[in-house]
Amino acid sequence: MAELHLIGSILGCSDFKEFQGVYCKWSIITGEHFDWQILAGEASGCTQVDSTGGEGVDGVWDHPLDVHLGVPSMVGWPRLRVEVWSRDAGGSNTLCGYGFCNVPTSPGLHDIDIVTWVPTGGVHEQLCQFFLGIKPHLKDPSIVARTRPGESRFGLKCESSGVVYLQIEVITSNFEAQGLCS
């Protein structure tokens, strides 16, 4: 079986200016109905909370990623989905942004910037946000990384929110022996 190793870290974030105490939930998403296997490591996780300090000061997480996948085919290539949240002094959590990136298909070290966005919703959600401070979020965050027509995030009203920085080393093995291109 061909194998894919992802080793690196979620370095941090920037441009979440109105938030303090940000953290990132992340997950490795593979195509549905494909036999990708997690051979070692975790397919999802959460960073620690870091204070951004406001006004453009970067949040630093340096959270490790180390995932070893069994690759049956190039179809359903993995993606990394991120959700950035903020925790206030009272312990309540607020969505800061959703984002995703395709895992690079070429071996080597890659620096990736994941631009995030937040749903703005309709008039009702905007009024709730203005008067109650309740920001809209997705009922099913799995649509963030979907691309099939009718199942994707396209068509949602949203605005950009910030950037998550990722550094990842992609290592492939047995691709040629299995008849796969790397």
Side-chain angles (χ1 to χ4, degrees):
M1 174 181 281
E3 298 176 9
L4 175 68
H5 300 260
L6 306 175
I7 302 169
S9 66
I10 300 174
L11 300 173
C13 66
S14 66
D15 299 329
F16 294 101
K17 296 176 183 168
E18 63 184 79
F19 301 103
Q20 293 187 357
V22 293
Y23 64 97
C24 181
K25 296 179 183 179
W26 61 273
S27 57
I28 301 288
I29 308 295
T30 58
E32 296 176 18
H33 312 297
F34 301 106
D35 297 328
W36 287 73
Q37 299 173 358
I38 305 292
L39 302 177
E42 297 295 325
S44 63
C46 185
T47 68
Q48 77 276 7
V49 176
D50 184 42
S51 176
T52 57
E55 283 308 310
V57 176
D58 296 344
V60 177
W61 297 314
D62 203 16
H63 182 82
L65 290 175
D66 189 355
V67 182
H68 182 185
L69 300 158
V71 182
S73 73
M74 296 295 279
V75 179
W77 194 260
R79 297 176 176 161
L80 178 73
R81 182 180 70 212
V82 296
E83 298 176 29
V84 180
W85 292 81
S86 172
R87 177 167 293 162
D88 65 15
S92 41
N93 298 312
T94 304
L95 176 68
C96 301
Y98 295 108
F100 85 96
C101 70
N102 292 312
V103 170
T105 56
S106 61
L109 184 64
H110 302 273
D111 292 317
I112 300 169
D113 297 349
I114 303 174
V115 177
T116 62
W117 51 271
V118 290
T120 56
V123 174
H124 180 264
E125 289 84 7
Q126 290 175 2
L127 287 172
C128 285
Q129 180 177 347
F130 182 78
F131 288 111
L132 303 174
I134 300 171
K135 291 193 170 216
H137 61 277
L138 300 175
K139 290 181 182 178
D140 181 11
S142 68
I143 70 164
V144 171
R146 289 188 195 157
T147 57
R148 286 192 191 134
E151 295 182 4
S152 67
R153 69 200 179 282
F154 299 108
L156 294 175
K157 293 180 182 178
C158 58
E159 60 187 21
S160 62
S161 58
V163 181
V164 173
Y165 302 105
L166 171 72
Q167 188 174 64
I168 191 164
E169 178 81 31
V170 176
I171 303 169
T172 59
S173 62
N174 298 329
F175 271 59
E176 291 79 19
Q178 297 297 320
L180 301 173
C181 299
S182 62

